[in-house]
Amino acid sequence: MAIALFVRDRFVRPYLGDVLAVILVYCGLRAVLPLRSLPAALSAFAIGAAIEIGQAAHVLDLLGVQNRVIRVVLGGSFEWLDFLAYAAGAGIALAVDRRVLSR
C-alpha cells in the first residue's frame, strides 16, 4: 500500500508493486487455506489477473466506488504488462516456497 501511495515512478509502483502484491496474496492464501504451493501460486496469479480484467472493464467506475483506499488497492488503469508482473510474483513465491520447504 505504501508503494501505491507514495512512489511515483515508472517501474517500482506499476511493476514491482504488482510482483509484491501477488507474493503477498500467495502468502495469505498459504496461511489461511490448505493449498499446496502450485495451486496457491496459480490462484494468486488468477486473483491478480481478475483485478486487471476488472480494471479494463472499469468495474470500480461502473459500481460507483469512490473510496480512495479501495481504488488504490484495486487500481484504476489496465496494462498488459501487469500480467507479466503477476506471473513473476507467482513464480517467485512458488520458487521461494519450494526452496524453503525443501530444506
Side-chain angles (χ1 to χ4, degrees):
M1 181 90 167
I3 290 173
L5 290 174
F6 302 115
V7 177
R8 301 281 180 233
D9 70 346
R10 292 184 171 198
F11 178 75
V12 172
R13 183 173 189 226
Y15 301 113
L16 184 59
D18 288 344
V19 170
L20 294 174
V22 169
I23 292 171
L24 180 64
V25 169
Y26 174 89
C27 292
L29 290 171
R30 292 278 284 157
V32 300
L33 297 174
L35 291 175
R36 297 178 78 79
S37 56
L38 183 58
L42 294 173
S43 297
F45 173 81
I47 290 168
I51 290 171
E52 196 67 25
I53 291 166
Q55 290 173 358
H58 304 282
V59 170
L60 295 179
D61 294 331
L62 293 171
L63 295 174
V65 175
Q66 298 299 320
N67 184 293
R68 183 166 186 234
V69 173
I70 292 172
R71 294 190 78 85
V72 166
V73 170
L74 296 179
S77 61
F78 176 80
E79 174 66 47
W80 282 107
L81 289 176
D82 287 350
F83 289 101
L84 292 176
Y86 301 144
I92 290 167
L94 181 62
V96 169
D97 196 356
R98 287 188 170 175
R99 173 82 175 162
V100 168
L101 292 177
S102 70
R103 290 183 178 191

